[in-house]
Amino acid sequence: MTLPYDVMTDPAVAARRYRLLAMLIDCVPLFFVNLALGSLLNPQWFNTTVGDASLSSSGGLLGVLFVNPFQDPYWFSDQVFAAVAGLYFWTCHFRWGQTLGKKLCRIKVVTTDGNPLTSRQSALRAVFYCGVIMIPYVGVPLALADQLMIAGSERRCLHDILAGTVVIKAPRW
């Protein structure tokens, strides 16, 4: 699908670097929310030391990325965090077209014809954005591919294509 000329040029499609920076900015408050949820749902989470046998036998980074969800004691808290993050992205994109990171980077999500997002489009983005990472074994690589696949002159990720959205430069505050 090719975007209309007016969406592609005025306002211009957001640069890749601003999209990635906005995502990193959004990860900071979500990281602290994850810490809070982890301490509330799993109080023993902070009591684990690096020398603990359960951590050393977990398989390291591959064990974290490709863990069997039925053996992971933190799987439920991961699901809760994904739901909270999805709600954050859905609400921000539906109401304002921007998350905190997008606002600071002066970019905004709109439909391919330049209109504000509908609730359905915002939900599709949020579910794909936050839900795909929870798929065992393939979720993390698929989420990374989604973020890195800001392809073509339209600079749209997989979740943009799925929801029929595009990220543009936002007007000044």
Side-chain angles (χ1 to χ4, degrees):
M1 173 190 342
T2 304
L3 295 175
Y5 181 74
D6 57 335
V7 173
M8 288 296 298
T9 59
D10 187 34
V13 176
R16 292 170 180 86
R17 65 182 175 271
Y18 294 123
R19 291 189 67 163
L20 293 174
L21 179 61
M23 183 58 194
L24 290 174
I25 292 170
D26 285 332
C27 285
V28 171
L30 289 174
F31 171 76
F32 289 109
V33 169
N34 192 20
L35 281 178
L37 286 173
S39 65
L40 290 174
L41 296 173
N42 301 309
Q44 72 278 10
W45 195 36
F46 289 108
N47 295 334
T48 307
T49 61
V50 176
D52 191 291
S54 64
L55 282 180
S56 61
S57 64
S58 67
L61 180 61
L62 289 179
V64 171
L65 293 177
F66 301 106
V67 69
N68 183 345
F70 303 109
Q71 296 174 353
D72 183 9
Y74 307 113
W75 192 69
F76 176 73
S77 60
D78 292 343
Q79 296 296 317
V80 171
F81 174 69
V84 169
L87 184 63
Y88 166 74
F89 286 112
W90 174 76
T91 303
C92 290
H93 287 143
F94 176 59
R95 293 196 49 128
W96 304 289
Q98 297 174 303
T99 59
L100 175 64
K102 285 182 178 68
K103 182 137 182 100
L104 292 174
C105 291
R106 293 192 214 144
I107 58 178
K108 185 175 186 174
V109 182
V110 295
T111 62
T112 53
D113 57 359
N115 293 322
L117 269 64
T118 64
S119 178
R120 181 182 176 277
Q121 287 173 312
S122 183
L124 279 171
R125 281 180 61 92
V127 166
F128 189 86
Y129 210 56
C130 299
V132 75
I133 202 164
M134 299 312 299
I135 301 170
Y137 307 111
V138 297
V140 172
L142 189 57
L144 289 173
D146 176 43
Q147 286 302 312
L148 296 175
M149 193 189 123
I150 302 174
S153 62
E154 297 173 354
R155 298 183 195 131
R156 296 172 73 199
C157 294
L158 294 174
H159 60 270
D160 289 318
I161 295 168
L162 178 68
T165 60
V166 63
V167 181
I168 61 170
K169 291 181 184 176
R172 298 224 177 232
W173 301 329

